[in-house]
């Protein structure tokens, strides 16, 4: 309760405590408004759009989702005008759902028709269809907004602040959004296998008897309904961010579609909470829908940096580790090449080794330190010599190089003078099992 955070009158709060309280605590204690319906609607919209967006992201159809969110606008306006004519004007009217869904399917069919029956490629057909339909919708909104209670700004950007209340009552749009999300989850569970196959391999889906066209247009229908249900909260433009960003963020963390759906739900919930917190009057005092989308983008940036496999940091670490491995193995291999085959080969001079490898003095010193720590070589006043472990590593590298050269010549038909450079790179990637697979007959004993 708020009493927990209000100190006694004889213990006034410090300015720093007051500032921290206003930033972190006040948004969740605001007694002037009941904010939980806003958060609930934001979670419902984000999760519903994010789940559908996963399939679009994996299919490489993100632009189609963008197009559809704009193309349904004329259907929404026409449905709203029809509902207004019958005296039932509301963004939750069945007329709007029918009009927007029909317009979404028309847009999807037009995109396929333009792509297949003309020389225009898919990206251009998307641009032609959705911009034209969106422009038509904007014209209708501007032309007839005065005859119906239809705010152009609300249609384009949404007004999720409507879902706050003074008495704790549940706004009208929460129940329809909850029903649509429940139906989406049920549909994903029931039709998960067909959706999985058509998403990753449409050709395989056709071969096993799955109706790819039905799955595609079913997805478009679900997307149209979800976009319409979310219009009052986030509008046509912010819906695109909630549709694509959570799925794209989850894609950075996993390659499994099932896990990707769970990650998407988690990111959608967190971005809603963070967006509401950012939008509160004690912080940015801005649009909650825009802040939710911005919070989602912030999570994408963080994931882009730290995701375990696809993140920039992890990829940099992998490249750094590989570069250090190549430097180390090139050092060992070069030492073996500079010493004759003998029971006690002479030590290699460090300067001669540096010139052969084209290393800087500092680079050579760092690589020598790593090799010495790994027990691969020994340094003395006479020079550098390989240990028993280092000699075994050097022999394996030499064998991998020769085996890869032979493989390229025998199986790919490359001339002998074209295989050395490729073998210089690939020898560092060949593990023992891969080496045995390409050259089993020459595997060293």
């Amino acid at each position: 309760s708020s009493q927990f955070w209000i100190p006694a009158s004889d213990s006034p709060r410090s300015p720093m405590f007051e500032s921290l309280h206003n930033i972190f605590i006040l948004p969740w204690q605001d007694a002037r408004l009941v904010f939980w319906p806003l958060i609930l609607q934001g979670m419902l919209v984000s999760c519903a759009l994010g789940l559908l967006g996963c399939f679009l992201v994996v299919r490489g159809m993100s632009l189609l989702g963008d197009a559809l969110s704009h193309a349904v606008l004329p259907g929404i306006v026409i449905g709203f005008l029809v509902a207004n004519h019958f005296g039932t004007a509301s963004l939750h009217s069945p007329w709007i759902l029918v009009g927007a869904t029909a317009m979404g399917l028309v847009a999807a069919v037009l995109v396929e028709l333009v792509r297949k029956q003309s020389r225009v490629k898919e990206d251009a057909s998307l641009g032609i269809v959705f911009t034209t339909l969106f422009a038509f919708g904007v014209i209708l909104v501007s032309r007839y907004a005065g005859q119906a209670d239809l705010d152009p700004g609300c249609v384009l950007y949404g007004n999720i602040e409507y879902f706050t209340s003074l008495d704790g009552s549940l706004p009208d749009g929460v129940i329809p959004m909850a029903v649509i999300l429940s139906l989406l989850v049920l549909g994903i569970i029931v039709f998960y296998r067909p959706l999985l196959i058509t998403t990753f391999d449409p050709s395989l889906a056709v071969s096993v008897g799955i109706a790819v066209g039905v799955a595609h247009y079913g997805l478009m229908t679900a997307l149209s309904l979800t976009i319409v249900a979310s219009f009052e909260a986030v509008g046509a433009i912010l819906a695109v961010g909630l549709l694509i960003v959570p799925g794209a963020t989850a894609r950075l963390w996993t390659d499994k579609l099932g896990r990707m759906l769970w990650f998407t739900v988690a990111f959608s919930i967190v971005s809603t909470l963070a967006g509401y917190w950012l939008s509160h009057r004690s912080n940015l005092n801005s649009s909650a829908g825009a802040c939710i989308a911005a919070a989602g983008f912030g999570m994408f940036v963080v994931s882009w940096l730290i995701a375990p496999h696809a993140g920039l940091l992890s990829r940099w670490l992998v490249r750094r580790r590989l570069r250090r491995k190549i430097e180390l193995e090139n050092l060992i291999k070069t030492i073996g090449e500079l010493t004759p085959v003998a029971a006690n080969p002479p030590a290699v001079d460090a300067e001669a080794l540096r010139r052969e490898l084209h290393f800087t003095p500092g680079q050579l010193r760092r690589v020598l330190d790593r090799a010495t720590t790994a027990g691969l070589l020994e340094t003395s006043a006479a020079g550098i010599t390989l240990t028993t472990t280092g000699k075994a590593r050097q022999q394996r590298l030499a064998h991998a190089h020769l085996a890869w050269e032979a493989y390229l010549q025998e199986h790919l038909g490359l001339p002998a003078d074209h295989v050395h450079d490729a073998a210089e790179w690939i020898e560092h990637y060949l593990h023992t099992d891969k080496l045995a697979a390409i050259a089993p007959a020459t595997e060293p004993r």
Side-chain angles (χ1 to χ4, degrees), residues 334 338 348-358 364:
T334 304
L338 293 178
V348 177
D349 179 66
E351 183 61 24
L353 183 62
R354 187 189 69 80
R355 289 195 300 268
E356 185 70 21
L357 290 169
H358 302 287
L364 178 64

Side-chain angles (χ1 to χ4, degrees), residues 265-338:
V265 171
F267 289 141
S268 299
I269 292 174
V270 173
S271 65
T272 301
L273 294 173
Y276 163 75
W277 174 76
L278 284 172
S279 68
H280 193 263
R281 60 185 176 84
S282 62
N283 293 318
L284 296 183
N285 193 24
S286 183
S287 166
C291 287
I292 291 172
F297 175 72
M299 296 179 66
F300 172 80
V301 172
V302 172
S303 300
W304 187 27
L305 293 174
I306 67 171
H309 299 294
L312 293 179
L313 179 60
S314 61
R315 286 189 292 171
W316 177 80
L317 290 174
V318 169
R319 289 194 297 267
R320 178 176 178 270
R321 186 162 52 246
L322 179 60
R323 184 177 66 251
R324 289 162 65 92
K325 176 185 177 182
I326 291 175
E327 288 178 346
L328 185 64
E329 292 186 343
N330 282 340
L331 174 72
I332 297 169
K333 183 180 175 182
T334 304
I335 293 174
E337 292 173 349
L338 293 178

Side-chain angles (χ1 to χ4, degrees), residues 29 69 101 120 133 146 163 216 236-237 306 358 387:
Q29 292 183 330
S69 67
T101 302
V120 176
L133 291 178
F163 292 88
H216 174 74
I237 296 178
I306 67 171
H358 302 287
T387 63

Side-chain angles (χ1 to χ4, degrees), residues 94-279:
W95 290 104
I96 292 181
L97 294 177
V98 171
T101 302
M103 192 60 65
L105 292 176
V106 167
V109 171
L110 285 177
V111 168
E112 290 295 311
L113 187 64
V114 172
R115 182 179 66 84
K116 293 180 178 179
Q117 303 298 327
S118 71
R119 300 177 63 183
V120 176
K121 295 184 178 180
E122 184 177 10
D123 56 347
S125 65
L126 284 170
I128 292 171
V129 171
F130 97 76
T131 53
T132 302
L133 291 178
F134 185 67
F136 182 53
V138 172
I139 292 173
L140 289 177
V141 170
S142 302
R143 177 68 178 82
Y144 296 105
Q147 302 179 23
D149 186 17
L150 187 61
D151 179 26
C154 179
V155 170
L156 297 178
Y157 311 115
N159 185 22
I160 198 171
E161 288 79 5
Y162 161 78
F163 292 88
T164 56
S165 62
L166 296 174
D167 56 0
S169 61
L170 198 64
D172 296 336
V174 175
I175 298 299
M177 195 69 239
V179 171
I180 289 177
L181 177 58
S182 301
L183 292 176
L184 283 177
V185 172
L186 180 62
I188 291 174
I189 294 173
V190 173
F191 300 105
Y192 180 75
R193 182 174 178 273
L195 287 172
L196 178 66
I197 298 175
T198 55
T199 296
F200 286 98
D201 196 339
S203 300
L204 176 62
V206 172
S207 66
V208 298
I210 297 175
V212 177
V214 173
H216 174 74
Y217 288 110
L219 183 63
M220 295 302 102
T221 302
L223 183 56
S224 300
L225 286 172
T226 306
I227 289 173
V228 174
S230 64
F231 252 71
E232 190 172 12
V234 294
I237 296 178
L238 296 180
V240 180
L242 301 183
L243 179 67
I244 302 303
V245 174
T249 305
R251 188 72 177 85
L252 295 172
W253 289 88
T254 181
D255 294 326
K256 304 289 185 180
L257 182 59
R259 294 177 184 175
M260 185 175 171
L261 295 172
W262 284 109
F263 273 115
T264 298
V265 171
F267 289 141
S268 299
I269 292 174
V270 173
S271 65
T272 301
L273 294 173
Y276 163 75
W277 174 76
L278 284 172
S279 68

Side-chain angles (χ1 to χ4, degrees), residues 399 432 435-437 439-445:
H399 174 67
T432 303
L435 183 58
T442 58
E443 183 69 15
R445 294 178 175 80

